Coordinates of all heavy atoms in Angstrom, one line a residue:
Q117 N 23.4 61.5 -14.1 CA 22.5 61.9 -13.0 C 23.2 62.0 -11.7 O 24.1 61.2 -11.4 CB 21.3 60.9 -13.0 CG 20.5 60.9 -14.2 CD 19.5 59.8 -14.3 OE1 19.0 59.4 -13.3 NE2 19.2 59.3 -15.5
V118 N 22.8 62.9 -10.9 CA 23.3 63.1 -9.5 C 22.1 63.1 -8.6 O 21.2 63.9 -8.7 CB 24.0 64.4 -9.4 CG1 24.6 64.6 -7.9 CG2 25.2 64.5 -10.4
A119 N 22.1 62.1 -7.6 CA 21.0 62.0 -6.7 C 21.4 62.6 -5.3 O 20.5 62.9 -4.5 CB 20.6 60.5 -6.5
D120 N 22.7 62.7 -5.1 CA 23.1 63.3 -3.8 C 23.1 64.9 -4.0 O 24.0 65.4 -4.6 CB 24.5 62.8 -3.5 CG 25.1 63.4 -2.1 OD1 24.2 63.9 -1.4 OD2 26.3 63.3 -1.9
L121 N 22.1 65.5 -3.5 CA 22.0 66.9 -3.7 C 21.3 67.6 -2.4 O 20.7 66.9 -1.6 CB 21.2 67.3 -4.9 CG 20.0 66.4 -5.3 CD1 18.7 67.1 -4.9 CD2 20.1 66.1 -6.8
D122 N 21.5 68.9 -2.3 CA 20.9 69.6 -1.2 C 19.5 70.0 -1.6 O 19.2 71.0 -2.2 CB 21.7 70.9 -0.9 CG 21.2 71.7 0.3 OD1 20.1 71.4 0.8 OD2 21.9 72.6 0.7
R123 N 18.5 69.1 -1.2 CA 17.1 69.3 -1.6 C 16.5 70.6 -1.0 O 15.8 71.3 -1.6 CB 16.3 68.1 -1.3 CG 16.7 66.9 -2.3 CD 16.0 65.6 -1.9 NE 16.3 64.6 -2.9 CZ 17.4 64.0 -3.0 NH1 18.4 64.2 -2.1 NH2 17.6 63.1 -3.9
V124 N 16.8 70.8 0.3 CA 16.3 72.0 0.9 C 16.9 73.3 0.3 O 16.2 74.2 0.0 CB 16.7 72.0 2.5 CG1 16.3 73.3 3.1 CG2 16.0 70.8 3.1
G125 N 18.2 73.2 -0.1 CA 18.8 74.4 -0.7 C 18.2 74.6 -2.1 O 18.0 75.8 -2.5
L126 N 17.9 73.6 -2.8 CA 17.2 73.7 -4.2 C 15.9 74.3 -4.0 O 15.5 75.2 -4.8 CB 17.2 72.4 -4.9 CG 18.5 71.9 -5.5 CD1 18.5 70.4 -5.8 CD2 18.8 72.8 -6.7
V127 N 15.1 73.9 -3.1 CA 13.7 74.4 -2.9 C 13.9 75.9 -2.6 O 13.1 76.8 -3.2 CB 13.0 73.7 -1.7 CG1 11.8 74.5 -1.3 CG2 12.6 72.3 -2.1
A128 N 14.8 76.3 -1.8 CA 14.9 77.8 -1.5 C 15.5 78.5 -2.6 O 15.0 79.6 -3.0 CB 15.8 77.9 -0.2
D129 N 16.6 78.0 -3.2 CA 17.3 78.8 -4.3 C 16.5 78.9 -5.6 O 16.7 79.9 -6.3 CB 18.7 78.1 -4.6 CG 19.7 78.3 -3.5 OD1 19.4 79.1 -2.5 OD2 20.7 77.7 -3.5
L130 N 15.6 77.9 -5.8 CA 14.8 78.0 -7.0 C 13.4 78.4 -6.7 O 12.6 78.5 -7.6 CB 14.8 76.6 -7.7 CG 16.2 76.2 -8.3 CD1 16.1 74.8 -8.8 CD2 16.8 77.1 -9.3
D131 N 13.1 78.7 -5.5 CA 11.8 79.1 -5.1 C 10.7 78.2 -5.5 O 9.7 78.6 -6.2 CB 11.5 80.6 -5.6 CG 10.3 81.2 -4.9 OD1 10.0 80.8 -3.7 OD2 9.7 82.1 -5.5
L132 N 10.9 76.9 -5.2 CA 10.0 75.9 -5.7 C 8.7 75.9 -4.8 O 8.8 76.2 -3.6 CB 10.6 74.5 -5.6 CG 11.9 74.3 -6.5 CD1 12.5 72.9 -6.3 CD2 11.6 74.5 -8.0
P133 N 7.6 75.5 -5.4 CA 6.3 75.4 -4.6 C 6.5 74.3 -3.5 O 7.3 73.4 -3.6 CB 5.3 74.9 -5.6 CG 5.9 75.3 -7.0 CD 7.4 75.2 -6.8
A134 N 5.7 74.5 -2.4 CA 5.9 73.6 -1.2 C 5.7 72.2 -1.5 O 6.2 71.3 -0.9 CB 4.9 74.1 -0.2
D135 N 4.8 71.8 -2.5 CA 4.6 70.4 -2.8 C 5.5 69.8 -3.8 O 5.3 68.6 -4.2 CB 3.1 70.2 -3.2 CG 2.7 70.8 -4.5 OD1 3.4 71.7 -4.9 OD2 1.8 70.3 -5.1
V136 N 6.5 70.5 -4.3 CA 7.4 70.0 -5.3 C 8.7 69.5 -4.6 O 9.3 70.2 -3.8 CB 7.7 71.0 -6.4 CG1 8.9 70.6 -7.3 CG2 6.5 71.4 -7.2
R137 N 9.0 68.2 -4.9 CA 10.2 67.6 -4.2 C 11.3 67.4 -5.2 O 11.2 66.6 -6.2 CB 9.8 66.2 -3.7 CG 8.7 66.2 -2.7 CD 9.1 66.8 -1.4 NE 8.0 66.7 -0.4 CZ 7.1 67.7 -0.2 NH1 7.1 68.8 -0.9 NH2 6.1 67.5 0.7
P138 N 12.4 68.1 -5.1 CA 13.6 67.8 -5.9 C 14.1 66.4 -5.7 O 14.1 65.9 -4.6 CB 14.7 68.8 -5.4 CG 13.9 69.9 -4.6 CD 12.7 69.1 -4.1
Y139 N 14.4 65.7 -6.8 CA 14.8 64.3 -6.7 C 16.2 64.0 -7.3 O 17.0 63.3 -6.7 CB 13.7 63.5 -7.4 CG 13.8 62.0 -6.9 CD1 13.2 61.7 -5.7 CD2 14.3 61.1 -7.7 CE1 13.2 60.4 -5.3 CE2 14.3 59.7 -7.3 CZ 13.8 59.4 -6.1 OH 13.8 58.1 -5.7
V140 N 16.5 64.5 -8.5 CA 17.7 64.2 -9.1 C 18.1 65.4 -10.0 O 17.2 66.1 -10.6 CB 17.7 62.9 -9.9 CG1 16.7 63.0 -11.1 CG2 19.0 62.4 -10.3
V141 N 19.4 65.6 -10.2 CA 19.9 66.6 -11.2 C 20.5 65.8 -12.3 O 21.2 64.8 -12.1 CB 20.9 67.5 -10.6 CG1 21.6 68.4 -11.6 CG2 20.3 68.5 -9.6
T142 N 20.1 66.2 -13.5 CA 20.6 65.5 -14.7 C 21.5 66.5 -15.5 O 21.0 67.5 -15.9 CB 19.4 65.0 -15.6 OG1 18.6 64.2 -14.8 CG2 19.9 64.3 -16.8
A143 N 22.7 66.1 -15.7 CA 23.7 66.9 -16.5 C 23.6 66.4 -17.9 O 23.6 65.2 -18.1 CB 25.1 66.8 -15.9
V144 N 23.5 67.3 -18.9 CA 23.4 67.0 -20.3 C 24.5 67.8 -21.1 O 24.7 68.9 -20.8 CB 22.0 67.4 -20.8 CG1 21.9 66.9 -22.3 CG2 20.9 66.8 -20.0
G145 N 25.1 67.1 -22.0 CA 26.0 67.8 -22.9 C 26.7 66.8 -23.9 O 26.4 65.7 -24.0
Q146 N 27.7 67.4 -24.6 CA 28.5 66.7 -25.5 C 29.7 66.1 -24.7 O 30.1 66.7 -23.7 CB 29.0 67.6 -26.6 CG 28.0 68.2 -27.5 CD 27.5 67.2 -28.5 OE1 28.1 66.1 -28.7 NE2 26.3 67.5 -29.0
L147 N 30.1 65.0 -25.2 CA 31.3 64.3 -24.6 C 32.5 65.2 -24.7 O 32.8 65.7 -25.8 CB 31.5 62.9 -25.2 CG 32.4 62.0 -24.5 CD1 32.0 61.7 -23.1 CD2 32.6 60.7 -25.3
G148 N 33.3 65.3 -23.6 CA 34.5 66.1 -23.6 C 35.7 65.2 -23.5 O 35.6 64.0 -23.5
D149 N 36.8 65.8 -23.2 CA 38.1 65.1 -23.1 C 38.2 64.5 -21.7 O 38.3 65.3 -20.7 CB 39.3 66.1 -23.4 CG 40.6 65.4 -23.2 OD1 40.7 64.2 -23.0 OD2 41.6 66.2 -23.3
P150 N 38.3 63.2 -21.6 CA 38.3 62.6 -20.2 C 39.6 63.0 -19.5 O 39.7 63.0 -18.3 CB 38.2 61.1 -20.5 CG 38.6 60.9 -21.9 CD 38.2 62.2 -22.6
F151 N 40.7 63.3 -20.3 CA 42.0 63.6 -19.7 C 42.0 65.0 -19.1 O 43.0 65.4 -18.4 CB 43.1 63.4 -20.7 CG 43.3 61.9 -21.0 CD1 42.7 61.4 -22.2 CD2 43.9 61.1 -20.1 CE1 42.9 60.1 -22.5 CE2 44.1 59.7 -20.4 CZ 43.5 59.2 -21.6
S152 N 40.9 65.7 -19.2 CA 40.8 67.0 -18.5 C 40.2 66.9 -17.1 O 40.2 67.8 -16.4 CB 39.9 68.0 -19.4 OG 38.5 67.5 -19.3
L153 N 39.8 65.7 -16.8 CA 39.3 65.4 -15.4 C 40.4 65.2 -14.4 O 41.5 64.8 -14.8 CB 38.4 64.1 -15.5 CG 37.1 64.2 -16.2 CD1 36.5 62.8 -16.4 CD2 36.1 65.2 -15.6
P154 N 40.1 65.5 -13.1 CA 41.1 65.1 -12.1 C 41.4 63.6 -12.1 O 40.5 62.8 -12.6 CB 40.4 65.5 -10.8 CG 39.3 66.5 -11.2 CD 38.9 66.1 -12.6
A155 N 42.6 63.3 -11.7 CA 43.0 61.9 -11.8 C 42.0 60.9 -11.2 O 41.8 59.8 -11.7 CB 44.4 61.7 -11.1
D156 N 41.4 61.2 -10.0 CA 40.5 60.2 -9.4 C 39.3 60.0 -10.2 O 38.7 58.9 -10.3 CB 40.1 60.7 -8.0 CG 39.4 62.0 -7.9 OD1 39.8 62.9 -8.7 OD2 38.5 62.1 -7.1
L157 N 38.8 61.0 -11.0 CA 37.7 60.8 -11.9 C 38.1 60.2 -13.2 O 37.3 59.5 -13.8 CB 37.0 62.2 -12.1 CG 36.4 62.9 -10.9 CD1 35.7 64.2 -11.3 CD2 35.4 62.0 -10.2
L158 N 39.3 60.4 -13.6 CA 39.7 59.8 -14.9 C 39.7 58.3 -14.8 O 39.3 57.6 -15.7 CB 41.1 60.3 -15.2 CG 41.8 59.7 -16.5 CD1 41.0 60.1 -17.7 CD2 43.2 60.2 -16.6
V159 N 40.1 57.8 -13.6 CA 40.1 56.3 -13.4 C 38.7 55.8 -13.7 O 38.5 54.8 -14.4 CB 40.6 55.9 -12.0 CG1 40.3 54.5 -11.7 CG2 42.0 56.3 -11.8
H160 N 37.7 56.4 -13.1 CA 36.3 55.9 -13.3 C 35.8 56.1 -14.8 O 35.1 55.3 -15.3 CB 35.3 56.7 -12.4 CG 35.5 56.4 -10.9 ND1 35.3 55.2 -10.4 CD2 36.0 57.2 -9.9 CE1 35.6 55.2 -9.1 NE2 36.0 56.4 -8.8
E161 N 36.2 57.2 -15.3 CA 35.8 57.6 -16.7 C 36.3 56.7 -17.7 O 35.6 56.4 -18.7 CB 36.3 59.0 -17.0 CG 35.6 59.7 -18.2 CD 34.2 60.1 -17.9 OE1 33.6 59.9 -16.8 OE2 33.6 60.6 -18.9
T162 N 37.5 56.1 -17.5 CA 38.1 55.3 -18.6 C 38.1 53.8 -18.3 O 38.6 53.0 -19.1 CB 39.6 55.7 -18.8 OG1 40.3 55.7 -17.5 CG2 39.7 57.2 -19.3
S163 N 37.5 53.4 -17.2 CA 37.4 52.0 -16.9 C 36.2 51.4 -17.7 O 35.3 52.1 -18.1 CB 37.2 51.7 -15.4 OG 36.0 52.3 -14.9
L164 N 36.3 50.1 -17.8 CA 35.2 49.3 -18.6 C 33.9 49.4 -17.8 O 33.9 49.3 -16.6 CB 35.7 47.9 -18.8 CG 36.9 47.7 -19.7 CD1 37.2 46.2 -19.8 CD2 36.6 48.2 -21.1

Side-chain angles (χ1 to χ4, degrees):
Q117 297 170 31
V118 180
D120 182 16
L121 40 102
D122 181 351
R123 289 171 174 82
V124 172
L126 283 162
V127 167
D129 289 350
L130 297 174
D131 195 26
L132 299 177
D135 69 334
V136 171
R137 303 288 184 267
Y139 200 77
V140 69
V141 169
T142 303
V144 182
Q146 295 286 341
L147 192 58
D149 179 7
F151 293 99
S152 68
L153 292 170
D156 61 321
L157 297 180
L158 178 62
V159 170
H160 295 292
E161 194 75 357
T162 57
S163 63
L164 294 175

